[in-house]
Amino acid sequence: MASEPRQPLIGVLALQGGFEAHERMLSRTGADTREVRVAGDLEGLDGLVIPGGESTTMTLGIEREGLAGPLRRLGAAGLPMLGSCAGLIMLDRDHLGIMDLVAVRNAFGRQIHSFEADVEVRGIPGGPLRAIFIRAPWIADHGPAVEVLATVEGHPVAAREGSRVAVSFHAELSHDVRLHRYFLELVREQPV
Ligand code: GLN
C-alpha cells in the first residue's frame, strides 16, 4: 500500500501573542504544527509562522531565548515564513531583516484600535478575505523583490517575497483558511 505523503511540519513562534489560532488554522489546512520557544524547536521545520502580538515584547523574548541568530539563518536559508501583524513587524528590515520591507507600527492610528475590512489579496482566489486589523502596521517601504499583494486606503497590508508572506491583519481569527492554505502551497513548492 502506498504511504500517505507526509504532512508539512510548520513551527509557530509561541513566545507571546496569538499563536494558538494559527495552529488551529494550520491543522485545518493539513499541516502538523510545533510550538517554537527555544532554538532546538526550529530543527526540521518546513515553515514557520510568526503570529501577532506585541512586537517589543516579542523582540525581547527572541533576544532572551537566543532565537534571533537561528531565525536569521533560517531566513537566509529560505525557510518559508508567514508573519501576521506583529509577525510582519518582526520580519522587516529593522527587526529580523528577513523581508526587504519597512513596517510602521500602529500605522492606522492609535484611536482606531481595530477594524475589519474585506481585502482582495492577489494570488488568493475566491473573493476578498475578511481581514481583522488590531493596532495593525502597514508597509511604508519595500525593495524590488517584494510583491505587494493587498492594500487598504492605498497602503500595502500584505506582501510576498519568495516564500515569505507578511500580512498586517489577522487571518487566523476568521473561519477563512485561504491565507494559510496559500502559505502551505508555498511550503509544498519548496525543494526539499
Ligand atoms: N501594534 C502591535 C505591535 O506594534 C501589533 C499588533 C498586533 O499584532 N495585533 O507590536
Side-chain angles (χ1 to χ4, degrees), residues 16 18 51-58 84-90 104-107 110 113 132-137 168-170 172:
Q16 189 264 336
E54 212 288 315
S55 54
T56 307
T57 312
M58 216 180 281
S84 69
C85 205
L88 178 154
I89 298 169
M90 298 313 304
V104 178
R105 295 179 65 188
N106 304 310
R110 289 195 168 270
H113 274 187
I132 302 169
F133 294 80
I134 305 171
R135 288 187 279 274
S168 296
F169 50 85
H170 296 267
E172 74 286 2

Side-chain angles (χ1 to χ4, degrees), residues 2-85:
S3 62
E4 289 286 309
R6 186 176 74 83
Q7 299 211 120
L9 176 61
I10 309 298
V12 183
L13 191 66
L15 298 172
Q16 189 264 336
F19 52 90
E20 285 173 339
H22 278 288
E23 289 172 54
R24 281 195 290 277
M25 287 305 233
L26 290 164
S27 301
R28 282 177 58 195
T29 43
D32 290 327
T33 61
R34 180 197 290 158
E35 294 181 358
V36 172
R37 295 195 173 81
V38 295
D41 297 334
L42 291 166
E43 255 162 59
L45 296 179
D46 299 307
L48 180 75
V49 173
I50 306 183
E54 212 288 315
S55 54
T56 307
T57 312
M58 216 180 281
T59 301
L60 291 173
I62 286 173
E63 293 299 332
R64 186 187 65 231
E65 300 302 334
L67 282 165
L71 287 170
R72 288 199 172 101
R73 279 195 287 282
L74 286 174
L79 186 76
M81 296 191 191
L82 168 65
S84 69
C85 205

